Every structure is written in structure tokens, then in C-alpha cells.
Amino acid sequence: MSSKTRLDRAYKNAKVVPFDNSSKFILFSDCHRGDNSFADDFANNRNIYFHALKHYYAEGFSYCELGDGDELWENLSFESILNAHKNVYMLMKLFHEQNRLHMIWGNHDMVYRDPKYVEKQLSSFFDPKIGEDVELFCNIQYHEAVVLKHSETGQELFLAHGHQADWWNYLFWKWSRFMVRILWKPLNVMGIADPTSPAKNYKELIKVERRTKKWIIENNNLITVVGHTHRPRFPEPGDIAFFNDGSCVHPRSITGIEIENGEISLIKWQIATTDDGTLKIVRILLEGPKKLMDYKTD
């Protein structure tokens, strides 16, 4: 199965979410939430992420997570991740209860392809304080892709993790998961990177991006937003409409893509120092905003 076939199938079977110029979305991916051990890359940025997500919840945004939210290659179960970052999941639960949460699976949480697994792992959790199960993400559904479709113009935005263009991490993810758990997790603690990851292998990254761009061109320059490579991308109108929201495991910062007022922007949240020495979390605009219609080629 080729990259084109995988991307075609993801687009065809995508969950369609209608939106208009009053809609607001925040797109994050590659959080890789772990168990708060030395190998948990998310732990360094969890306060930044939590603060940013609180901001978006208060401002009425919907949250689209474009895959690899949970690190289920290094960790055997969701329970240890939930216990490490419960405040994050309680906040995500609020999004879910208001139908403002759209979840996509990536290669590191590909087990969420199975609805039965999702229901068993995510629908509830045991609360030791009251000694019984409590609802978490009741009836949540994970998708391979989401299409945001403008209710007035018909313009579409295709959201996916992006590993469809990475044959090794799509087809042989179980083998990769085994290698990560046995070999790369302990080596990661010592600072040795996994060479099969496009986020850490520049040659693979370029190949994945090239395949994705080819598919976008063949689909009338469809606006496509992915993660997977951890490299933020924000094209100018007229260029190939290939966007990447980056990741939430950059050193000391997280990046994402905002859609608001019919416009798209690339943003970063990081810790900044004020003149009096106080540390605070700030939002920085990296690219945009650009009007979505400026990318329309019809």
C-alpha cells in the first residue's frame, strides 16, 4: 500500500466537522504524554501545555489532537499516563463533554484504532479516593483523520497525524513499538535518539514531507495539517498548502496551529522572564494569521 493510497483512504473515511468564520480551533499533536519518568518527554512542558489548553477552553476553542497524544510505545498502559498527568485529562474531559474534542490517532497511539480498546481504556478510571470507577471520556471516538468543512464556502482542511506518508511507522508500528520499549527507551534516557523516528532523522523527515506534498498537489492543493515530524511548517498562500503544527515536546516550548475568524496561524507557548524576574507562560505568534480563502485554488 502506497503513501497515496493510505492518505486517500484517510481522507475518504475522515470525520467531517462543519465550521464557519465564527469557529475556533486549536491544533496540537505529538504531546507524547508519558508516565513522568526520565523518558517522559512531555513532562518538561506539561505546565506550559496545561496553561495553554486552559486558555483555549476559556476562550471557546475546540481542541483537535492530531495523533501521538499518548505515548503508548514506551508505556504499556494508559493508566500510568493518566495518573502522571491527571489534571490534563480532567481538562480534556471538559472539552469532550461539550463536544469540543476531536481525537486522531498516530503511530505512537495506533492502538486507539480499535474502538473496543478505546472504550476499555478511556471510558472510565478507578478513583482511589471514593473507591469506584469514574467516567472519563465516555463514548469518545478516535479517527484516522478529520476534515474541517466550511459550511458556507465548502472549503476543506484535512487533518491527520501524517504517518500515512511514513511506510515504516504505519505498516510496521508494532515492530517499532517493540524496539522502542526494549532498546530505545533506555537509550533515550542516555540521550541516544531512535533513528527510525522522522522527528530525529532528517533524511526520513524530508522523505515524509515530500510524499505528503505530492499528495496535496494531486488533490488540488487541499489544505493539509499534520504532525509526526515535529517540524512546524506554515506555507504562504500560493505555495503547497502543507502545514505542520510541530509538537508539544520542543525544548522548553510547544507549538500549535490556531484557526479563528476564518484565518490560520502558527503559534508557540513558552516560559518568558519579566523585568522583575518573574516567570510566566506567554503565547507568541510565529506565522500568520492568513485567510484560509487565500489558499483556495478553485
Side-chain angles (χ1 to χ4, degrees), residues 23 49 70 111 131 147 171 176-177 204 208 212 239 265 269 297:
S23 304
Y49 174 87
D70 296 335
V111 287
V147 168
L171 298 175
S176 294
R177 182 181 63 180
E204 285 302 312
V208 169
T212 307
D239 294 339
S265 304
W269 290 81
T297 57

Side-chain angles (χ1 to χ4, degrees), residues 201-242:
N201 184 324
Y202 190 73
K203 289 184 179 179
E204 285 302 312
L205 183 152
I206 295 299
K207 290 178 184 177
V208 169
E209 289 188 349
R210 188 186 303 128
R211 294 179 197 125
T212 307
K213 287 179 179 179
K214 184 174 185 291
W215 183 85
I216 293 170
I217 293 169
E218 292 170 351
N219 285 270
N220 199 27
N221 207 34
L222 173 67
I223 292 179
T224 300
V225 188
V226 297
H228 188 52
T229 65
H230 297 197
R231 180 160 86 149
R233 310 300 288 164
F234 193 92
E236 290 293 318
D239 294 339
I240 300 171
F242 171 68

